[in-house]
Amino acid sequence: MLSYQHAYHAGNLADVHKHALLSSALDYLTRKDKALSYFETHAGRGLYHLDGVEARKTGEAAQGIARVADWFAPDHPYARARAVVAAEHGAAAYPGSPLIAAALLRGFDNMTLAELHPAEVTALRQAMPQRYVQVLQEDGLAMALSRTPPEPRRGLMLIDPSYEVKTDYDRIPDLIAKLHRKWNVGVIMLWYPVLANLAHLMMAQALRMRFPDALSHEVRFPPARPGHGMIGSGIFVLNPPFGLQDEATRLTARYAGL
């Protein structure tokens, strides 16, 4: 359960999909001068280096953000967040979702980040800027239930498991239903891999049946290497912010051209 290391996959085409939609959602939510609560259930280390051994070993970033960076104009929130991180950490630095959120949120917004892996927690605490943020070494899905509804009630939660624990696919529809009952105004964003073996399919179908008004968006892309099981990326959003569907539609066209 603690073996997953996102450094091997940071900046891949699934990250691009997830981070483009996350940054677009946060960009809209921060236009109103009211505080937000932001949560992540599987935060990782927050900061990655695309010239590092891990990224070079898999080549996923080279096929991902290095290849498609021009999809995003400089004023796109994803590009703005990446520019903030590059200015502080260098051109090869890539922000995980915690640093993307930190670049877009305001000083009066609250951040709560959960991560189980001890080394990742240590790195995350070092990577996060000096602002109000809680980094918790605990199970993220348990944290999600225990910390909602938050104060302030406006906000977004990113649920982003590695899915190494295969029961996650079975647990997540019920978890999201419970979260939505407790925090019915929260934007709840789930990322999942689209897999050649269809392990994700029943979960995705269950979520669409339970929440027909949610934003459900999937993109496809070539596998990172021969035999690699991930062939796409999925995002499911309860209470999607205005304009998020437009960004999803734009991304559909971009991924179709790969």
Side-chain angles (χ1 to χ4, degrees):
M1 190 166 74
L2 296 178
S3 63
Y4 181 80
Q5 298 287 304
H6 192 65
Y8 291 96
H9 314 291
N12 67 9
L13 287 168
D15 260 6
V16 171
H17 179 225
K18 173 177 59 182
H19 292 157
L21 289 174
L22 173 65
S23 61
S24 296
L26 289 174
D27 180 64
Y28 180 80
L29 290 171
T30 54
R31 293 176 193 176
K32 185 176 288 188
D33 190 25
K34 290 186 177 181
L36 296 175
S37 295
Y38 177 78
F39 297 92
E40 288 196 26
T41 60
H42 300 75
R45 61 177 41 227
L47 178 65
Y48 304 93
H49 295 279
L50 302 187
D51 58 354
V53 172
E54 298 91 344
R56 293 201 309 270
K57 181 175 181 179
T58 63
E60 291 186 29
Q63 299 174 52
I65 189 59
R67 180 182 177 190
V68 304
D70 62 356
W71 287 1
F72 305 95
D75 61 348
H76 190 287
Y78 180 32
R80 298 199 326 259
R82 291 185 59 235
V84 168
V85 172
E88 183 172 355
H89 299 283
Y94 183 82
S97 45
L99 281 184
I100 286 176
L104 298 173
L105 293 173
R106 293 79 48 94
F108 52 83
D109 296 319
N110 295 335
M111 296 183 69
T112 304
L113 309 173
E115 173 58 47
L116 264 180
H117 196 293
E120 299 293 276
V121 169
T122 298
L124 179 62
R125 287 176 173 150
Q126 293 172 349
M128 293 307 295
Q130 297 300 309
R131 63 183 307 281
Y132 182 70
V133 54
Q134 282 190 300
V135 177
L136 308 172
Q137 186 176 347
E138 61 182 73
D139 178 79
L141 301 184
M143 179 278 291
L145 290 171
S146 67
R147 300 278 175 144
T148 50
E151 184 58 43
R153 290 181 67 88
R154 291 183 74 239
L156 185 151
M157 177 179 289
L158 176 63
I159 302 172
D160 181 20
S162 68
Y163 297 93
E164 284 198 315
V165 181
K166 301 308 179 185
T167 54
D168 282 349
Y169 292 109
D170 300 322
R171 295 173 60 196
I172 281 173
D174 284 340
L175 173 88
I176 288 181
K178 290 176 183 177
L179 283 172
H180 186 55
R181 285 195 295 270
K182 294 185 68 178
W183 189 27
N184 63 346
V185 299
V187 178
I188 299 172
M189 178 178 289
L190 170 73
W191 175 84
Y192 59 91
V194 174
L195 300 171
N197 67 7
L198 304 181
H200 67 286
L201 190 59
M202 289 185 66
M203 181 191 75
Q205 290 175 339
L207 287 167
R208 292 180 195 123
M209 288 181 64
R210 288 194 189 199
F211 304 103
D213 295 329
L215 170 62
S216 180
H217 186 246
E218 293 185 357
V219 294
R220 300 293 196 276
F221 43 76
R225 50 196 169 274
H228 190 59
M230 187 168 68
I231 58 171
S233 172
I235 291 284
F236 189 84
V237 189
L238 292 184
N239 299 322
F242 179 79
L244 198 62
Q245 178 62 68
D246 292 340
E247 177 65 5
T249 300
R250 189 183 78 87
L251 290 171
T252 295
R254 288 294 192 176
Y255 277 88
L258 288 173

